[in-house]
Amino acid sequence: MVILNAFHLPGPSIMFIERVCVATDGSDIAVQAAQMGALLARAGAGRMVAVSVAQPHFSMPDSGAAVPDTRAEFLRAHEAARAHVETVRRIADAAGVSCEWATPLSSVPGPEIVRIAEEQGCDLIVMGTHGPNDANRLFAGSVAQYVLANSTVPVLLLRVPREASRPEFGEFP
């Protein structure tokens, strides 16, 4: 499923893409989003910005347990984010596209993705979503939903289709 959130301007609706922001968490769908981003960037001016937000994960220690090593967790989160943008950079290189990168530190990735895309003058954000495929729930994951709802930059979301039964339609008069 592909979702494109773009604003419509009066007149011909031609969008020239000079710089594509690819947000990645290292998942398979994020790699597919990077490949799509590289294709779109190559068709335009050939520039990408890879973003992976370094997200440290902390938990409260049990009573009497040692306090977690925060420095080690920050380092782990940053190294994971660097590995994710390195994957995007290799995809961009293979497509003949230049690629800058950013690995900001935050526990909430959505605002950082939007901020970097806007600061870098990106024309499109491409990202994967792990959102549920249940009609009773939202169509996108929380990060993708945040970016889609709050970005002034058009957003292209890629999602892996899940196995689902086809909807049953009644007879039309």
Side-chain angles (χ1 to χ4, degrees):
M1 171 189 236
V2 176
I3 302 166
L4 180 60
N5 170 30
F7 49 88
H8 298 286
L9 299 175
S13 54
I14 296 174
M15 181 175 159
F16 183 74
I17 298 172
E18 290 192 24
R19 182 171 292 175
V20 175
C21 176
V22 174
T24 181
D25 62 2
S27 64
D28 291 344
I29 191 65
V31 170
Q32 291 174 9
Q35 293 166 337
M36 176 66 75
L39 278 170
L40 293 168
R42 192 170 78 191
R47 297 185 303 188
M48 287 174 52
V49 176
V51 178
S52 183
V53 179
Q55 298 179 73
H57 299 287
F58 298 103
S59 60
M60 294 297 293
D62 293 332
S63 176
V67 175
D69 183 359
T70 57
R71 187 179 188 312
E73 180 55 21
F74 284 127
L75 183 59
R76 183 216 54 82
H78 186 70
E79 287 175 357
R82 293 273 310 232
H84 300 330
V85 296
E86 179 60 25
T87 298
V88 175
R89 190 195 60 75
R90 284 194 309 269
I91 290 168
D93 284 350
V97 172
S98 71
C99 186
E100 298 174 25
W101 55 270
T103 56
L105 179 68
S106 177
S107 60
V108 185
E112 290 299 312
I113 294 166
V114 170
R115 179 185 64 79
I116 289 170
E118 291 174 352
E119 284 179 2
Q120 294 295 317
C122 294
D123 301 298
L124 181 66
I125 299 172
V126 179
M127 61 189 296
T129 180
H130 308 282
N133 194 19
D134 184 335
N136 296 325
R137 296 175 24 185
L138 299 174
F139 69 92
S142 60
V143 175
Q145 182 182 1
Y146 180 91
V147 172
L148 191 62
N150 294 284
S151 177
T152 59
V153 177
V155 178
L156 174 65
L157 296 180
L158 301 174
R159 186 180 77 176
V160 175
R162 294 190 174 98
E163 288 187 29
S165 60
R166 292 182 159 257
E168 293 183 28
F169 296 103
E171 294 293 320
F172 291 102

